[in-house]
Amino acid sequence: MHDELTQVDIDKMKEELQHRIQVLRPQLIEEVKVARAFGDLSENFEYKAAKREKNRNDSRIRYLENMIKTAVVIDGTSDTDEIGLFDTVTFYVEEDEEEETIQLVTTLRQDALKGLISKESPVGKALMGHKVGDRVLIEASETYRYYVQIRAIQKSTGDPDIPIGTF
């Protein structure tokens, strides 16, 4: 499966990848060497911690390289009156009788706690392409679905300041 990402997403990943390879990796390798010199490795916490951080960095490097290699570059633009990528959407949840506001982003930038919802999530898929006033069915699972009514769309061409996710 390929992730649909914008060119800004890919550029941010390349920037992080370069930093991790050229700056962090040499630092972490040196920390492992220094910690190894402390003696008995079986009880050397500093060595284990340094090794863990080096492995975490190497894992992130592999992840970024794979994401860049397999990504499909998409254009984040949409018609002026319909919901598209990076748009902020206010909708009314009928069963809860309350309004919610979210921003649709690529999977790499999602953060539900900050209202950044992936365009590939059930909510994102359902809302993409709709207009103000539309009543939209959101299928959260096979057994749970609900209706929302789109109240407002604030257009955006993308926000390079939204960070890419880490693990």
Side-chain angles (χ1 to χ4, degrees), residues 16 19 35 37 51 64 66 80 90-91 121 128 134 137 149:
E16 180 183 343
H19 174 74
K51 191 79 168 155
L64 291 169
N66 188 51
T80 57
T90 302
F91 54 88
S121 70
M128 291 290 284
D134 287 356
L137 175 65
Q149 183 178 28

Side-chain angles (χ1 to χ4, degrees), residues 91-116:
F91 54 88
Y92 177 75
V93 181
E94 294 177 1
E95 74 177 35
D96 294 340
E97 296 183 357
E98 61 183 41
E99 272 191 359
E100 287 189 34
T101 300
I102 62 166
Q103 183 176 12
L104 292 176
V105 296
T106 57
T107 302
L108 196 62
R109 297 181 189 207
Q110 69 186 355
D111 186 344
L113 296 177
K114 294 180 180 176
L116 303 172

Side-chain angles (χ1 to χ4, degrees), residues 69-101:
K69 183 173 65 175
T70 62
V72 174
V73 179
I74 59 170
D75 181 20
T77 59
S78 61
D79 289 343
T80 57
D81 62 342
E82 66 182 35
I83 298 171
L85 189 59
F86 298 115
D87 293 345
T88 300
V89 182
T90 302
F91 54 88
Y92 177 75
V93 181
E94 294 177 1
E95 74 177 35
D96 294 340
E97 296 183 357
E98 61 183 41
E99 272 191 359
E100 287 189 34
T101 300

Side-chain angles (χ1 to χ4, degrees), residues 11-47:
D11 292 344
K12 282 182 172 239
M13 285 190 298
K14 286 179 178 178
E15 183 180 307
E16 180 183 343
L17 181 62
Q18 181 180 12
H19 174 74
R20 287 183 175 276
I21 290 172
Q22 294 178 351
V23 177
L24 281 181
R25 183 183 272 167
Q27 286 175 356
L28 294 172
I29 289 171
E30 185 61 29
E31 288 176 16
V32 169
K33 287 179 186 176
V34 169
R36 183 180 291 144
F38 291 157
D40 183 10
L41 298 183
S42 65
E43 295 182 15
N44 186 336
F45 175 77
E46 288 83 4
Y47 174 75

Side-chain angles (χ1 to χ4, degrees), residues 3-5 9 105-110 118-120:
D3 286 298
E4 294 181 342
L5 304 172
D9 291 336
V105 296
T106 57
T107 302
L108 196 62
R109 297 181 189 207
Q110 69 186 355
S118 168
K119 71 177 200 66
E120 296 173 21

